[in-house]
Amino acid sequence: MVFPTLQFIGFFAVVLALNGLFWNSNALRKGMLLLASYVFYAAWDPRFVLLMAFVSLVAWAAGLGVRVPGLRRLSKVASIAAMLGVLAVFKYFDFFMFQLQALTQDTAFARDLTWMTVILPVGISFYTFQAISYVMDVDRGHIPPCRNPFDVALFISFFPQLVAGPIVRAAHFLPQLDNPRRPDAAARATAVVLILSGLFKKMVVANYLSVLLVDPAYGLPDGQYWLSALAATLGYAIQIYCDFSGYSDIAIGVALLLGYEFNRNFNQPYRADCLRDFWQRWHISLSTWIRDYLYIPLGGGKGGAPRRTFTLILTMTLAGLWHGAGWNFILWGFLHGAGQAVERGFRGMNVALPRLLAIAVTFVIVALLWIPFRAHTFPDTLSMLAAFGKTEGYAAPELTMTVWALIAVGFVMNWLPLSWRDRATMTLARLGPVIQALILGIGIFTLFATAQEGVAPFIYFQF
């Protein structure tokens, strides 16, 4: 993790206090937040602060350059190439070196390339994508170029969502830097609900499922049988949902307490009635980024059916590659793209399932596709799938009532009407800031007391 959880609480308490102290001095407040964001990132590895600063500088300079006649194309192409180059080196270098070693293993060109490894910086995909979107939006005329390089740096490095999203758009965030909204009772109440619900998802549901079920099952996939494979598949679907949506809830709540609003990043994804609907509900900031900056530039829905299908599958395959440098991630993205292409064909024939059945079928497909995402290797993926045909296993995790209860809680949190959050927020909004702070503090203490010992890193930190 960038910060251990208890240290982050202390860090955020200091930042929140300074944010209130400097509220009437926008320059001081933004400078403090920029410094805090870099301190936050440096807590993981101070060397990579320079890399993030480089990406920010490139984005800022390119934003100015694309508005200069004669420099537009050069600024856009060079900056995006530089930022994608950074991403490629740090995220995919090891993968390609491993593939090269495998290809040359039995030839005269065989070499041991295992020493050529590169550390993957936490959150590099998220802040690189934000930097690219800034350049693209300025180039398209959606936003004016930012004259202040420190504003661009703060947009890219803002610590609540730096390491695991949501991916924030410059058009939404940059105007807030000069016009933040001082949190009122309703905003504070919303933040408390989001932070506590996010911590519960992560520290209780996701962590316990990881330790008690998912990690043991995927640690020895050959030793599973049909019931443990089923439980692990359901468990990981709930774990990754609670882990990632939990982080997004915390990030949105923390930003709200500092005076900034982020858009929702999850909208009950397991209620989707098709794969297209799933991606409109899951990691919304990434799916809209992929749509606006990858799918549409590649052609989107233009052309005939073969071209549209190719564009869709290519886009989702690249989205899979974004999630990780491995063939399993590529397979996961490809299958999501192929599945959506098949759905598009059925829609063209006016074939539709009853909604509840469509939701059930979609969830089964999504849950099964999480297997290669979690397994990481083809042999482990095949072993887990083969386990569905076994009647006994030698290394299955204990399927206790606690495990099934956690899976059920995860489903309830996905299906629970959003009105519960509104009612909780309205109730908390009637209370004063001291009571709200006490509720937040007591809630955090209670969650720490009931959580699994130690807090595993958020799943999306690796991306």
Side-chain angles (χ1 to χ4, degrees):
M1 297 182 69
V2 177
F3 265 136
T5 306
L6 285 175
Q7 289 186 20
F8 175 78
I9 292 172
F11 163 80
F12 178 63
V14 173
V15 172
L16 187 60
L18 291 175
N19 191 67
L21 181 65
F22 296 152
W23 189 268
N24 293 324
S25 176
N26 202 39
L28 281 176
R29 187 178 49 77
K30 290 193 295 184
M32 181 275 299
L33 290 174
L34 178 60
L35 177 61
S37 296
Y38 273 74
V39 169
F40 173 81
Y41 198 71
W44 171 69
D45 192 325
R47 295 173 297 175
F48 291 102
V49 166
L50 295 176
L51 181 66
M52 186 168 61
F54 169 75
V55 170
S56 301
L57 183 63
V58 169
W60 170 74
L64 297 177
V66 295
R67 289 301 183 90
V68 177
L71 290 180
R72 176 187 176 187
R73 182 173 180 81
L74 176 63
S75 297
K76 181 175 70 172
V77 173
S79 63
I80 293 177
M83 290 184 284
L84 288 178
V86 167
L87 188 62
V89 167
F90 284 94
K91 189 164 184 174
Y92 303 107
F93 181 83
D94 289 358
F95 172 69
F96 287 116
M97 286 298 99
F98 178 81
Q99 301 307 312
L100 179 62
Q101 179 169 313
L103 287 173
T104 60
Q105 185 173 3
D106 297 323
T107 71
F109 300 100
R111 296 291 186 276
D112 180 12
L113 302 176
T114 55
W115 62 273
M116 300 176 65
T117 58
V118 176
I119 298 174
L120 176 63
V122 170
I124 187 172
S125 297
F126 291 95
Y127 71 71
T128 302
F129 270 27
Q130 287 196 186
I132 292 173
S133 70
Y134 168 75
V135 175
M136 294 292 291
D137 285 350
V138 173
D139 176 66
R140 293 171 177 177
H142 296 168
I143 57 172
C146 191
R147 302 291 175 182
N148 187 342
F150 296 106
D151 282 358
V152 175
L154 179 54
F155 157 66
I156 291 172
S157 67
F158 191 44
F159 73 88
Q161 43 72 233
L162 172 61
V163 294
I167 301 171
V168 180
R169 299 290 183 92
H172 180 70
F173 184 76
L174 286 176
Q176 295 187 62
L177 289 182
D178 292 322
N179 297 286
R181 295 179 58 184
R182 184 185 289 272
D184 56 15
R188 292 193 303 269
T190 300
V192 170
V193 171
L194 285 170
I195 292 171
L196 292 181
S197 64
L199 286 172
F200 176 78
K201 288 178 183 179
K202 167 59 181 172
M203 297 177 66
V204 178
V205 180
N207 277 12
Y208 272 110
L209 282 175
S210 174
V211 172
L212 299 178
L213 174 62
V214 178
D215 290 350
Y218 278 92
L220 285 170
D222 287 334
Q224 307 309 309
Y225 70 111
W226 74 270
L227 187 57
S228 63
L230 174 62
T233 301
L234 294 175
Y236 187 69
I238 296 302
Q239 180 198 347
I240 193 171
Y241 165 67
C242 288
D243 191 287
F244 193 20
S245 69
Y247 183 93
S248 293
D249 287 347
I250 295 167
I252 295 169
V254 167
L256 196 56
L257 289 177
L258 294 172
Y260 304 98
E261 295 183 4
F262 294 162
N263 292 326
R264 178 189 297 175
N265 204 29
F266 286 82
N267 181 22
Q268 300 180 306
Y270 296 144
R271 297 185 68 168
D273 58 9
C274 63
L275 291 178
R276 179 186 179 187
D277 187 28
F278 172 77
W279 281 101
Q280 291 173 341
R281 295 167 174 268
W282 177 274
H283 199 351
I284 299 169
S285 63
L286 174 64
S287 59
T288 54
W289 195 101
I290 291 171
R291 178 197 64 200
D292 294 343
Y293 303 109
L294 189 59
Y295 177 68
I296 293 176
L298 286 173
K302 297 179 181 178
R307 180 182 173 182
R308 293 196 302 269
T309 299
F310 173 79
T311 302
L312 177 60
I313 293 176
L314 175 62
T315 299
M316 292 307 302
T317 302
L318 291 173
L321 184 61
W322 175 88
H323 279 82
W327 291 109
N328 266 34
F329 290 111
I330 295 173
L331 174 65
W332 174 78
F334 172 82
L335 291 175
H336 265 281
Q340 290 184 63
V342 171
E343 289 177 349
R344 180 181 286 176
F346 279 119
R347 285 196 298 271
M349 295 185 293
N350 294 318
V351 176
L353 298 174
R355 178 165 171 75
L356 287 179
L357 180 58
I359 291 173
V361 170
T362 300
F363 175 76
V364 169
I365 294 172
V366 169
L368 288 175
L369 290 182
W370 283 132
I371 293 177
F373 190 95
R374 174 59 180 83
H376 296 321
T377 68
F378 286 147
D380 285 352
T381 298
L382 295 176
S383 294
M384 187 60 72
L385 290 173
F388 282 96
K390 298 179 181 179
T391 57
E392 58 183 24
Y394 63 85
E398 186 178 0
L399 302 179
T400 63
M401 288 300 298
T402 300
V403 166
W404 294 112
L406 288 169
I407 293 174
V409 167
F411 277 112
V412 168
M413 296 190 75
N414 173 82
W415 278 86
L416 203 63
L418 296 177
S419 57
W420 78 268
R421 182 174 291 179
D422 296 334
R423 287 196 293 269
T425 299
M426 290 174 60
T427 301
L428 282 176
R430 301 189 187 102
L431 306 176
V434 175
I435 301 299
Q436 290 175 336
L438 282 174
I439 292 173
L440 179 60
I442 293 171
I444 292 174
F445 175 82
T446 303
L447 289 171
F448 267 94
T450 58
Q452 174 73 29
E453 183 178 355
V455 179
F458 286 93
I459 291 173
Y460 268 67
F461 276 11
Q462 65 184 295
F463 306 132

